[in-house]
Amino acid sequence: LPILAGNWKLNPATLDDAATLLRGLADSADDASRSVEVVVFPPFPFLSTAVSMLAGTGIKVGAQNCALETSGAHTGETAVSMIASLG
């Protein structure tokens, strides 16, 4: 399948706005997910919400970036294991 991916960059501004966008994606998932693999990359504060709201829709959720380190004093970094634990 072709991949349709969207990196949200530094958008939207609030969790409420993200939830509204995710509801719209979830509601339209059947149309798009049959002909393409859909993946969204929201900002880190919205990852958990995206994973839970898009569960069962066929839309995948990815992280925008991650650290090479697995643990330690790396302020602002996120390990792959942390991201994977979200689902």
Side-chain angles (χ1 to χ4, degrees):
L1 287 176
I3 297 172
L4 173 64
N7 183 344
W8 294 11
K9 307 289 185 187
L10 195 56
N11 298 293
T14 69
L15 180 58
D16 286 342
D17 291 344
T20 298
L21 179 57
L22 290 162
R23 258 190 302 282
L25 288 169
D27 290 346
S28 62
D30 287 342
D31 299 333
S33 61
R34 290 190 180 128
S35 57
V36 296
E37 182 175 1
V38 179
V39 188
V40 296
F41 297 86
F44 277 117
F46 309 140
L47 275 179
S48 270
T49 301
V51 168
S52 64
M53 290 186 72
L54 296 177
T57 66
I59 297 175
K60 296 183 176 151
V61 179
Q64 293 182 17
N65 64 331
C66 61
L68 295 175
E69 295 81 11
T70 57
S71 65
H74 304 284
T75 302
E77 296 294 340
T78 305
V80 172
S81 60
M82 294 174 177
I83 297 165
S85 72
L86 295 173

